[in-house]
Every structure is written in structure tokens, then in C-alpha cells.
Amino acid sequence: MDKLQPVLLSGGSGTRLWPLSREAYPKQFLPLIGEESLLQETWRRVAPLGDLPPLVVANEEHRFLAAEQLRQLGAPTPAILLEPVGRNTAPAIAAAALQAMAGGEDPLLLVLPSDHVVRDAAAFQVAVRAAMPAAAEGALVTFGIVPDAPETGFGYIQAESGKGLRKVLRFVEKPDAATAQSYLDAGGYYWNSGMFLFRAGRFLDELKQFRPDILDAVRVAFAAARHDGDFVRLDKAAFAAGPSDSIDYAVMEKTAHAMVLPVDIGWSDVGSWSALWEVAERDADGNAHHGDVIAVDSRNSYAYAQRMVALVGVDDVVVVETDDAVLVARKDRVQEVKQVVAQLKAEQRSQAVLHRKVYRPWGAYDSIDMGERFQVKRITVNPGAALSLQMHHHRAEHWIVVSGTAKVTRGEDILLLSENESTYIPLGVKHRLENPGKVPLELIEVQSGSYLGEDDIVRFEDVYGRSG
């Protein structure tokens, strides 16, 4: 029996769900449907299928987010391949295939985006098992979504007539409305889901035939990779020097061995707020809510709230409220949120990249107040974790412990602080904050000085390999 190894692609930094999804905390790490993130839900969906633990391919900047969310599931420790720069799906999958074969195996790879919704996990698992024999024989299988509308936001796959798994006739780009309707009327066309199943070695053979330049670059980057615990850090120079291309363009549209299995599994790529509304549970008036929301005389709307949000007399709107930004949009125009993000980037505003609460490998900080020459943060340090040994040129800091125990390095002094105790870190003094306890450390930090930016950090030691 051929072994199956899932590959979860988690390298995206999409912003179509701004202000909730941002570059530093993209949608795969968000609990958009239930209590767990899309990455966690994807893991649970594939875990019963795999003979080998899933591989995760993640952006370098998201490595600790991915590791922590999988740790929360109690998942077997996976290898997490780190992309130093984004190069699209073909190089990412090639790196995963090389990692899967590194131990002498040639498993079947089930390649999945980690930011999609599949509401019928059982039907998905049945489909994967049905496609495995063909993949074992050398087919490159993709899963086509049975369309229920003339969708213009997806590419399509035209398949040979018949039932079940069949040969791909062609891949087609995102159509206009009239063309999409013609596909729906004709039948035999399916949405391109971006989910694949094939033998690792077979994919590399096809990539070598059609895009040897991609494979060569990834081989060099993989051979020079650094292993850091569970992280496999692809060599940056080699990986960045390689071409960027999708698996569709690089292989699937060129190979003679592409097959498609049509599936009806409650799939969505959750590519916009309106798409999220479509897959969410709705009340009798068609409203979908997440959080503390009251709707009065409102219909077919979506609201995501961290604080209480009230909708009164509105139809077909999206309201998303976060700590530092609010989106209000007509549901049929939510794709234009990308213009907001573009403007934020052009103005170099932090809301394009970061939330007010920023996650770090040691925990998180939340900037709860800021003014002229001061900033107040709520800091959480995980048990056993430590910030870097560092120094600031432009600010001093006051630390007040709210709960837990803090071990503080301040110059030559080592302090242990408990609840309601505090210390002062003068400007220019080396310092470190650690949590030696078994429960999270909570403290309030008050910064004061002429410059309070995050780039005013000189690191001397860091257990997470950060510099600068």
C-alpha cells in the first residue's frame, strides 16, 4: 500500500479579508468559521488520511504562528519548510516533494491550501481515497469543484465526459460572466480548487521536463537548507534566484497525465467577505454573524465583531470591526478592499501589515495606548519563553507584573518579580524578560522616549534566531 503524506501550503499573506487578515497574520491563521483556524481545520481534515505526518510549507515570517497553532492541536510535530521569499506554488510543492523523499520514500502527496473551507470532510476523504490508485500509477490528480453558479472568480477545468475520475481536457482562466454561464450550461466544467494528489517523484519528473529551471533552483535551495529544530530553512539566495510560477502553469497545463475528480464537498476558497457570508450559518433574515452582533430590520448582511456591533435597517452590507480598523462595504463590492490595502501600503501605515495585537515567538503584545513620547503595551510571555537580550537607543521602559512570575535581566542584575511588582529599564541598558513559570506571564509595559518604533531594538542574543 502506497503511503500518503499531506502537504499544507501556508505561505500566503492575502489581504482580501482585511482588516481581519493582514500580511503578518493572514487568513489561514484566523478562526473564520468555527473556533479553530483554517490551518487547524485543514489539519484535522487530512490527519485521518495520512500514513505520514503532514508537511507544512510556510512563509519565514509565519513560522512560529504555524508551529504554535499545530502545537495547540496536539498534532505530531511536522517538518515545517520555510520559504525565505514567495515564489508561488510550483517551487513550494517541489521543496515539499524533496523533503518527502529525503528519507528514501516516494509517497503520494496530498497538496492542499491551508486557507480553504471544506464543510463535508467525510466526502472529501472519500474522494481522496478514490483518487489514490490513479495517483499511485502516475496520474497527477486535481479535484474539481462541481459548480453551482457561473462564478467568475475561479479558473475552470474541462474534463472528458463520463463519471468519476477522468482525463483533463484543458485548464481555462477566470472567465467573464457570459463565458462562465456557458460552462455551467454545457457541463463538464469544474472550478479549479488548487488541491492535488500525485506521487512526489512523479511531480518532480514532470517539473524537470517542463520547468527544469524551477527544479534546479529548488534543489540547490533544499541542499543548502539549514535545519533548526522542526524548521527546514531553504537557502534564501538560491530560492530567491529561482523563477516564480504556479503549479498550474508550470506543470498541470502541460502534462499529459493530468486527471480530475469532480467533487461536491462544500468547498470555498473564502476569497472575500461575500464568500465567507455564503459558507457561514445564516439566520432567517439571511444575516451571518461572528461575535457580539445585534441585527434589527437588516437582511443578507455579514458582521464580524470583537466588540458589540449593531446593524439597523441595512441590507447586503459587510461590517468588520477590529481593535484598530473598521470596514463597512456593500457585499457586492468587497473585492475592492484590495484598493484600501494598496492605499495603506502606499502611505506606509501599519494597518496594512499588523494588527494592534502582534504575535511573537515568545507570546504577544497589544499596544493599548499611545501618545506623544509614550506607549503602553499589554505583554504576554508564554511559559518557559524569553525575549531577546536587547537594548534601546531612544526609549526607557517600566514593567509592571499583572500575573505570573517575571525573570528580568537588567544590566548586571537578575530580578524575580511577582504580581504587583515592577522595575525600570533605563535607556541604553541591556535587558531581557523571561517567564520561568508554568503559567503565562502578563505585564504592562510603559515606554517613554523620543522614538518608540519597533526597529529601535539592538539584539545581542536571541533563542529564535532573530537579528536587528
Side-chain angles (χ1 to χ4, degrees):
M1 177 67 71
D2 290 286
K3 292 185 177 180
L4 178 72
Q5 182 157 42
V7 175
L8 308 188
L9 301 180
S10 185
S13 57
T15 54
R16 289 183 293 174
L17 293 180
W18 185 91
L20 202 59
S21 175
R22 306 192 191 182
E23 283 189 14
Y25 207 93
K27 69 174 182 174
Q28 61 264 34
F29 301 113
L30 296 170
L32 295 177
I33 299 296
E35 297 300 316
E36 295 183 336
S37 73
L38 297 184
L39 172 64
Q40 290 171 322
E41 290 184 350
T42 304
W43 180 281
R44 289 200 187 279
R45 191 161 59 247
V46 302
L49 291 167
D51 306 288
L52 299 167
L55 295 172
V56 177
V57 184
N59 185 302
E60 172 89 22
E61 298 301 316
H62 302 150
R63 62 193 186 279
F64 294 109
L65 283 174
E68 173 60 18
Q69 290 203 350
L70 296 178
R71 185 199 64 78
Q72 290 171 2
L73 295 180
T77 303
I80 300 181
L81 284 163
L82 300 180
E83 297 179 285
V85 295
R87 282 295 178 264
N88 216 316
T89 53
I93 296 169
L98 292 172
Q99 176 67 25
M101 298 178 69
E105 301 271 4
D106 187 6
L108 301 178
L109 300 185
L110 176 61
V111 179
L112 305 172
S114 63
D115 59 355
H116 290 181
V117 168
V118 173
R119 300 175 75 181
D120 192 342
F124 165 76
Q125 291 164 2
V126 168
V128 171
R129 291 189 176 100
M132 286 178 63
E137 292 297 319
L140 282 72
V141 178
T142 186
F143 298 88
I145 306 301
V146 176
D148 58 8
E151 176 61 55
T152 60
F154 303 137
Y156 284 70
I157 302 167
Q158 185 184 15
E160 280 186 344
S161 60
K163 292 184 177 181
L165 190 67
R166 65 198 83 157
K167 185 177 177 59
V168 170
L169 294 179
R170 62 174 179 142
F171 289 80
V172 291
E173 297 294 331
K174 297 175 183 178
D176 58 29
T179 304
Q181 185 62 56
S182 72
Y183 293 162
L184 204 64
D185 295 340
Y189 286 85
Y190 305 95
W191 293 338
N192 187 350
S193 69
M195 301 187 294
F196 304 93
L197 178 66
F198 39 66
R199 194 179 291 284
R202 185 51 181 253
F203 172 74
L204 294 177
D205 289 343
E206 296 295 283
L207 188 62
K208 181 178 180 179
Q209 179 179 349
F210 300 113
R211 289 302 305 268
D213 52 344
I214 292 177
L215 182 57
D216 289 345
V218 175
R219 284 194 186 278
V220 173
F222 185 78
R226 291 186 295 114
H227 294 257
D228 176 11
D230 299 321
F231 299 125
V232 180
R233 298 172 180 267
L234 298 171
D235 182 75
K236 183 174 183 178
F239 198 74
S244 175
D245 205 357
S246 71
I247 180 178
D248 286 344
Y249 288 144
V251 173
M252 296 302 293
E253 294 185 7
K254 298 180 175 70
T255 181
H257 304 286
M259 301 188 75
V260 60
L261 179 61
V263 293
D264 186 1
I265 54 177
W267 173 90
S268 172
D269 73 340
V270 203
S272 67
W273 288 111
S274 59
L276 185 56
W277 172 81
E278 289 173 357
V279 298
E281 291 187 13
R282 301 192 288 271
D283 62 21
D285 293 318
N287 298 310
H289 301 153
H290 189 288
D292 188 5
V293 178
I294 297 174
V296 177
D297 190 28
S298 299
R299 285 161 291 277
N300 301 321
S301 294
Y302 182 88
Y304 192 108
Q306 295 187 3
R307 291 166 291 188
M308 198 277 284
V309 167
L311 306 180
V312 180
V314 294
D315 299 343
D316 301 303
V317 300
V318 169
V319 178
V320 183
E321 181 266 341
T322 69
D323 288 328
D324 62 349
V326 177
L327 169 70
V328 181
R330 278 174 38 182
K331 191 147 57 62
D332 62 352
R333 297 188 63 180
V334 290
Q335 294 287 357
E336 296 172 46
V337 71
K338 61 187 178 184
Q339 297 178 20
V340 176
V341 177
Q343 184 170 335
L344 290 171
K345 288 183 176 179
E347 296 174 2
Q348 297 184 329
R349 296 179 61 169
S350 64
Q351 292 93 334
V353 178
L354 299 172
H355 285 277
R356 198 186 77 177
K357 185 174 184 179
V358 178
Y359 290 87
R360 290 289 186 250
W362 42 261
Y365 68 83
D366 187 354
S367 299
I368 58 179
D369 197 9
M370 182 182 297
E372 185 73 21
R373 295 180 63 87
F374 82 90
Q375 182 172 205
V376 181
K377 291 182 177 180
R378 181 188 296 118
I379 295 177
T380 303
V381 184
N382 297 327
L387 282 68
S388 59
L389 180 65
Q390 59 185 251
M391 179 268 285
H392 310 296
H393 288 296
H394 302 287
R395 71 174 185 250
E397 296 173 343
H398 299 257
W399 293 343
I400 304 99
V401 176
V402 176
S403 63
T405 300
K407 179 181 178 182
V408 177
T409 300
R410 186 186 63 190
E412 300 300 319
D413 299 326
I414 304 293
L415 313 173
L416 278 179
L417 303 179
S418 299
E419 183 174 327
N420 292 324
E421 295 182 329
S422 63
T423 190
Y424 169 64
I425 310 295
L427 182 152
V429 172
K430 287 184 182 180
H431 59 279
R432 190 201 302 269
L433 177 63
E434 302 175 61
N435 179 359
K438 302 295 185 181
V439 298
L441 165 64
E442 304 278 348
L443 70 147
I444 298 298
E445 175 182 88
V446 181
Q447 302 176 355
S448 60
S450 59
Y451 179 72
L452 306 174
E454 286 301 308
D455 53 349
D456 180 24
I457 297 177
V458 179
R459 288 192 175 96
F460 300 97
E461 297 175 10
D462 184 62
V463 296
Y464 308 108
R466 299 170 297 170
S467 62

